[in-house]
Amino acid sequence: MLTDEYVKKVYAQVEKRDGDQPEFLQAVREVFESLQPVVEKHPEYEANGVLERLVEPERVVKFRVAWVDDSGKVQVNRGYRVQFNSAIGPYKGGLRFHPTVNEGVIKFLGFEQILKNSLTTLPMGGGKGGSDFDPKGKSDAEVMRFCQAFMTELSRHIGQFTDVPAGDINVGAREIGYLFGQYKRIRDEYSGVLTGKGLEFGGSLARTEATGYGLCYYTAEALRVLRNDSFEGKTVVISGSGNVAIFATEKAQALGAKVVTASDSNGYVYDPNGIQLDVVKDIKLGHRGRIKEYAERVPGAEYHEGCKGVWTVPCDIALPCATQNEIDGESAEALVKNGCKVVCEGANMPSTPEAIEVYQKNGLLYGPAKAANAGGVAVSGLEMSQNSYRLSWTFEETDAKLKSIMESIVANSLAAAKEYGEEGDLMAGANIAGFVKVADAMVAQGVL
Ligand code: NDP
């Protein structure tokens, strides 16, 4: 609940201005609820208008992306880049290509990114971008032409010291390659302007695995510190079958857990013997197929239409890795009823406010996205460092840095929660720890 007068006033302003952006309002409200004890203790934040400025992006770029499909027809999509906050570093955040993309979705992701990037302890501001382009069913040549058209406009607004985009839903190695190539052609400049690049042209080892691995490092550390427990012998439900889900499955299995599900936007598979990841990789990374194929190939596995049912599968730990608001109150109740004790988020904002209430009421260990999935952007930050030094670290070196960053996020979140009377609350702790650093930098830099 919002009780602090300053916080209430700023939230009312956001509601008035951005009432048509429900995901953005949801993200702001959750953060504001955690920040009330902080602004009460620090009147300088109100005096410097920190919250008013935090919720208003420094810049929103919205542009036409016109391209020609394989049949020679002109197609027009919308492109976005929200440069949200540069108090602690250049704007940094991924690009999402999905038909559900609109300004409100990109703003919620950009807003979350400010605090997430701050939590990594690396010098990165918050940004996000994307397009309502749907790569499903498009040929490679169409995806390339779209990426080139998208970058032709985006290149005016980004740069290695200004704004460094990366991947997100439907933007993986293929798309980053095409985007990087077009930036290089237009600017005649070979720089680390994007992260998630191929290893042959400046990418970092362990970036592909980083979000999924990082999610498991975070969960393992939270389990150790708060429950004196581990992944060993646990049953895990994971949603999605993209980049984050695949590498979360890989690491959870390596840490001794049995992962029993995988899903996509059509449905989910349940494999009581444990998901065979090589089959999922072959389907998704090999030929961009549908997850249904898994049940056709693996004896004993079941396929169910509709992705929501995945939350009715009994488990100890749930790791949502698909998309926003994929767990509502009803799904959260089903998880609890079937024995789930831990929810850590690989996707951004996968739990509705009602679902979070259910976790809290039932004493689940809840690791919020902006902390639990920060591993991706953390290794993106390490990719930027390697590009600046013009060197590359080994997989082991980078993975060790990732693990230590995820462990420090758990420690810093718990310390911040304790300082503000929310002991053991990883959500409040992440919001507070991420915010304080950005807020102090904003105050120090004056009213901008
Ligand atoms: P991918 O495109 O690789 O995979 C996305 C997966 O989620 C696919 O299985 C997709 O199924 C499914 N999905 C997408 N939209 C929906 C939907 N509306 N309903 C149900 N399922 C859906 O993306 P990522 O794995 O990179 O991203 C997954 C989540 O993790 C996102 O929330 C993203 O913001 C977040 N994230 C990603 C990071 C990264 O480094 N990649 C970093 C931090 C967070 P289908 O193929 O059918 O669309």
Side-chain angles (χ1 to χ4, degrees):
M1 239 202 3
L2 298 181
T3 48
D4 177 85
E5 286 310 315
Y6 171 45
V7 172
K8 278 204 297 204
K9 187 188 82 186
V10 180
Y11 186 73
Q13 218 170 50
V14 180
E15 265 186 321
K16 195 166 155 210
R17 277 194 184 143
D18 298 320
D20 58 341
Q21 299 174 353
E23 294 88 357
F24 178 57
L25 291 178
Q26 184 183 334
V28 170
R29 192 179 177 100
E30 182 220 286
V31 169
F32 274 18
E33 283 179 2
S34 305
L35 294 185
Q36 299 185 104
V38 186
V39 297
E40 275 159 21
K41 194 166 158 191
H42 292 276
E44 71 273 23
Y45 295 154
E46 180 171 359
N48 283 276
V50 168
L51 290 187
E52 293 89 325
R53 291 192 282 142
L54 190 73
V55 293
E56 197 58 35
E58 289 174 19
R59 194 171 299 106
V60 176
V61 187
K62 182 171 166 186
F63 50 96
R64 179 176 72 206
V65 187
W67 55 285
V68 179
D69 70 17
D70 286 347
S71 69
K73 280 208 188 79
V74 174
Q75 301 284 343
V76 177
N77 286 98
R78 264 191 192 162
Y80 301 90
R81 186 70 184 166
V82 175
Q83 299 180 326
F84 224 119
N85 191 296
S86 62
I88 61 167
Y91 312 108
K92 180 92 198 85
L95 299 170
R96 174 178 293 191
F97 293 167
H98 197 272
T100 55
V101 163
N102 58 41
E103 191 172 325
V105 166
I106 298 298
K107 276 179 64 184
F108 114 67
L109 291 162
F111 180 73
E112 293 270 299
Q113 199 82 44
I114 304 169
L115 304 185
K116 181 187 309 193
N117 294 0
S118 166
L119 280 171
T120 65
T121 68
L122 301 174
M124 299 180 289
K128 198 82 188 186
S131 172
D132 58 1
F133 173 72
D134 186 0
K136 269 204 200 90
K138 304 285 192 302
S139 69
D140 269 1
E142 288 177 322
V143 170
M144 182 182 76
R145 287 197 294 276
F146 172 81
C147 287
Q148 291 177 340
F150 182 84
M151 182 52 89
T152 301
E153 174 62 29
L154 187 68
S155 64
R156 303 162 188 264
H157 310 287
I158 61 174
Q160 61 170 330
F161 301 117
T162 318
D163 183 355
V164 182
D168 190 77
I169 291 180
N170 289 329
V171 179
R174 173 181 64 169
E175 291 75 18
I176 294 290
Y178 294 149
L179 292 163
F180 180 78
Q182 183 71 353
Y183 183 85
K184 181 168 62 79
R185 172 156 80 179
I186 292 173
R187 302 287 284 259
D188 195 16
E189 175 189 302
Y190 207 109
S191 68
V193 68
L194 291 160
T195 58
K197 299 184 290 297
L199 296 179
E200 313 79 10
F201 53 96
S204 172
L205 285 160
R207 173 61 186 92
T208 308
E209 295 83 356
T211 309
Y213 278 23
L215 169 64
C216 291
Y217 293 144
Y218 174 95
T219 308
E221 179 66 1
L223 271 169
R224 187 185 71 77
V225 176
L226 293 171
R227 298 281 192 276
N228 192 25
D229 206 344
S230 74
F231 268 106
E232 192 63 48
K234 301 291 188 301
T235 299
V236 179
V237 157
I238 292 183
S239 64
S241 49
N243 172 269
V244 181
I246 285 175
F247 293 102
T249 302
E250 188 163 284
K251 186 53 77 178
Q253 289 177 340
L255 293 173
K258 180 157 93 169
V259 178
V260 292
T261 58
S263 72
D264 60 22
S265 53
N266 295 110
Y268 74 96
V269 288
Y270 169 58
D271 187 342
N273 301 313
I275 287 289
Q276 294 181 21
L277 196 56
D278 51 338
V279 177
V280 177
K281 282 186 179 174
D282 183 52
I283 297 168
K284 291 293 173 179
L285 307 178
H287 57 273
R288 299 178 193 272
R290 307 307 298 160
I291 203 65
K292 185 178 183 182
E293 192 185 320
Y294 182 94
E296 290 156 10
R297 286 171 57 174
V298 178
E302 302 163 10
Y303 176 71
H304 300 268
E305 282 292 331
C307 33
K308 209 178 148 187
V310 75
W311 309 119
T312 62
V313 174
C315 66
D316 305 300
I317 298 172
L319 304 176
C321 294
T323 195
Q324 64 266 14
N325 291 328
E326 55 176 315
I327 307 183
D328 57 14
E330 191 191 340
S331 297
E333 295 281 7
L335 279 170
V336 170
K337 188 170 135 236
N338 291 313
C340 180
K341 300 275 188 298
V342 177
V343 178
C344 287
E345 300 177 331
N348 280 310
M349 206 169 75
S351 307
T352 64
E354 295 74 27
I356 296 173
E357 245 182 81
V358 174
Y359 308 151
Q360 288 170 335
K361 208 173 63 203
N362 290 280
L364 267 65
L365 190 166
Y366 168 55
K370 65 173 72 67
N373 74 20
V377 74
V379 175
S380 276
L382 301 179
E383 183 172 330
M384 289 165 73
S385 304
Q386 293 170 80
N387 291 165
S388 297
Y389 284 127
R390 302 201 185 284
L391 52 73
S392 35
W393 296 323
T394 63
F395 187 96
E396 289 70 26
E397 268 177 287
T398 316
D399 189 41
K401 288 186 205 302
L402 166 66
K403 185 161 181 281
S404 127
I405 289 172
M406 298 316 292
E407 290 171 358
S408 72
I409 291 176
V410 173
N412 294 342
S413 301
L414 290 174
K418 191 169 174 196
E419 186 182 342
Y420 288 94
E422 306 284 346
E423 195 151 357
D425 185 335
L426 287 166
M427 178 174 80
N431 287 333
I432 296 169
F435 169 76
V436 168
K437 188 171 147 194
V438 175
D440 289 346
M442 288 172 76
V443 171
Q445 290 169 21
V447 176
L448 303 170

